[in-house]
Amino acid sequence: MTARRLTVTRTPAFIADVIAQVTAGHDRPGPGRLTAVVDQVAREHGLPATMVRAWLTEARYSPQAPLPYGLLHCGLCSAPLATITRAPEPPVFLCTPPCGREPIAADAVARAVAAVVLRRAPRLVPPGSAADAASYARAVILRIAVGATLTDLRVTWRTAPPHTHIAQRLHAARRHAHHRDYRQAVRLLRGALHHIDPLRHRPTTDLITARAAALLADTSLAARALGAREWAAFAHRSLARLHDDPTHPEVRDALAVLAAATTTAGDHTTATHLYSDLTRHHSHAEGPAALPTLTAQAHLCAALHATGQFEQAASLLRHTAAALNLTPHHDPATARLAKQLAAMRDTARPTMPAGTIARSSHGSLSDYREPPPSPRLQRDSPGGGPGSGSRASAQGTRPHAPSPDKGERACPAGR
């Protein structure tokens, strides 16, 4: 009997029914409600709670989903369609709870929705992104009811389409960040994310929104604007849930920005924990002697010293310097870190430069960013204009905003 139950749990209909039960219970408010509902549903079906939680995550928060949860509904029973993933089989859509219809291939649905978007709103899809047109549907579509066949799509359009798509604003903000116009990038991204309160909003299930929040945190930190720490925390929570892997480069980069913003805010105790986690994740992903790992350790040294843990800070500093000495200093980033570690050893209060962020090796931003010159420095600099300050800082490493991924998909949050 147990074997038969295990066989049943592997069908898409059974998974969809479990997801529906958890969703119905979670929609009722209450502290710790989701964990309690998952445990209860798991017990009722004789399943491990981790398995139920994994099904729910894949159905509602999976970044691999071709369309976001809540956009598609069953045209036969009106229930929302969820992504059901059972490796190695390709993902399918099925209504939750299931009404008896057969699962629908997710790729086929994405192609049908992409054709609708390209026919009705082609201006929203950036050049070269036609293959991912379905992921832009949320910008102009409120709801899609899928009938018996994929030729029967009943689309409910938004009455007032957004003036600028969130993915387009993110693309423009990256260009401004690339040219060191951080304040303009912050203005664009704040406008794109005006509907989100980073302190109270749940982690977003939209990858593009999470990336926009991450860039907003990064540029806010560079521009010394308010809200960098709050947006960094929101971006890290969202990307951690979307990728479900703390060693993913985007998750590590978001954690690095959060740790830097926390240090800037003067909360060195929390920064110690963040840099400890970042060091561990960098080490697992790239190795204990990798430059991102050693940079995070250098920040951890400074945080430990700031919290009064002098012996641990000194010991870790010696260990970090010894590990870096075994690395050839051929590239500027490694040579710069060696210089920073030497300066930390020679001072009574070791600190890392405020513009240094311990990003992953895969991050598109430079690991070092010169802080913007203050108005006083600009006025006193030779030449008298702001351009002289830019020329002076250009001798260092210039920042590079993350260029859009070739396969980037946008599932914008509705406005």
Side-chain angles (χ1 to χ4, degrees):
M1 184 172 182
T2 301
R4 189 165 64 188
R5 173 175 291 279
L6 289 176
T7 302
V8 171
T9 60
R10 298 181 182 275
T11 65
F14 183 85
I15 297 174
D17 186 55
V18 171
I19 293 169
Q21 293 179 38
V22 176
T23 301
H26 184 216
D27 287 342
R28 294 191 294 271
R33 184 71 188 174
L34 178 58
T35 301
V37 171
V38 167
D39 292 342
Q40 178 182 348
V41 172
R43 285 196 301 270
E44 290 175 355
H45 293 281
L47 300 169
T50 53
M51 179 181 292
V52 175
R53 192 173 291 108
W55 288 345
L56 182 69
T57 300
E58 291 173 353
R60 303 195 65 170
Y61 309 117
S62 174
Q64 286 78 32
L67 291 165
Y69 180 83
L71 181 65
L72 296 178
H73 290 74
C74 177
L76 307 180
C77 67
S78 299
L81 295 177
T83 308
I84 306 297
T85 304
R86 298 184 305 149
E89 299 177 13
V92 297
F93 280 115
L94 194 60
C95 40
T96 52
C99 64
R101 72 179 299 167
E102 290 295 318
I104 316 167
D107 289 342
V109 177
R111 287 193 297 269
V113 174
V116 172
V117 173
L118 290 171
R119 183 171 61 250
R120 178 70 176 262
R123 63 181 178 81
L124 290 177
V125 183
S129 301
D132 296 323
S135 60
Y136 293 83
R138 181 60 71 85
V140 290
I141 298 176
L142 281 175
R143 173 188 172 108
I144 301 175
V146 183
T149 64
L150 291 181
T151 58
D152 182 16
L153 297 180
R154 295 185 289 276
V155 180
T156 303
W157 298 93
R158 294 184 183 274
T159 56
H163 295 294
T164 306
H165 189 260
I166 188 172
Q168 294 175 337
R169 292 198 179 195
L170 174 59
H171 181 70
R174 282 169 167 162
R175 289 200 307 269
H176 286 295
H178 177 76
H179 294 292
R180 302 171 63 86
D181 190 356
Y182 302 121
R183 293 194 179 278
Q184 181 65 9
V186 169
R187 188 189 69 80
L188 277 174
L189 293 168
R190 282 180 175 173
L193 302 175
H194 68 92
H195 57 289
I196 293 178
D197 181 351
L199 289 175
R200 297 177 177 84
H201 204 278
R202 287 184 178 180
T204 181
T205 59
D206 167 39
L207 185 57
I208 292 301
T209 301
R211 287 173 174 170
L215 184 58
L216 177 54
D218 207 349
T219 52
S220 296
L221 189 62
R224 302 175 184 175
L226 297 176
R229 185 179 183 182
E230 292 77 9
W231 282 111
F234 173 77
H236 179 252
R237 291 197 307 270
S238 300
L239 290 168
R241 170 171 284 188
L242 283 164
H243 292 299
D244 195 26
D245 178 7
T247 64
H248 189 282
E250 284 190 322
V251 180
R252 287 186 282 138
D253 289 343
L255 180 58
V257 174
L258 175 58
T262 303
T263 300
T264 302
D267 187 357
H268 298 290
T269 300
T270 303
T272 300
H273 299 300
L274 294 175
Y275 278 119
S276 178
D277 291 341
L278 182 60
T279 300
R280 184 173 66 256
H281 298 327
H282 278 331
S283 180
H284 288 168
E286 305 189 35
L291 183 61
T293 306
L294 299 179
T295 305
Q297 283 184 184
H299 280 285
L300 180 57
C301 293
L304 288 169
H305 193 279
T307 56
Q309 304 178 63
F310 306 123
E311 293 184 1
Q312 292 184 9
S315 175
L316 184 58
L317 181 60
R318 289 192 298 269
H319 172 77
T320 305
L324 188 65
N325 286 336
L326 299 178
T327 304
H329 298 174
H330 298 315
D331 63 288
T334 304
R336 187 166 49 244
L337 179 58
K339 183 178 179 180
Q340 291 165 351
L341 291 176
M344 292 175 69
R345 290 196 302 269
D346 297 338
T347 182
R349 297 183 62 184
T351 59
M352 285 287 284
T356 305
I357 298 180
R359 306 184 195 278
S360 68
S361 296
H362 305 281
S364 298
L365 286 174
S366 170
D367 70 318
Y368 182 77
R369 176 179 53 236
E370 290 285 352
S374 65
R376 178 180 298 275
L377 289 177
Q378 289 184 353
R379 287 195 301 268
D380 296 343
S381 60
S388 58
S390 299
R391 286 192 297 270
S393 62
Q395 297 174 1
T397 303
R398 293 178 61 87
H400 298 282
S403 57
D405 297 338
K406 294 181 180 179
E408 182 173 273
R409 302 215 312 265
C411 308
R415 297 195 175 191

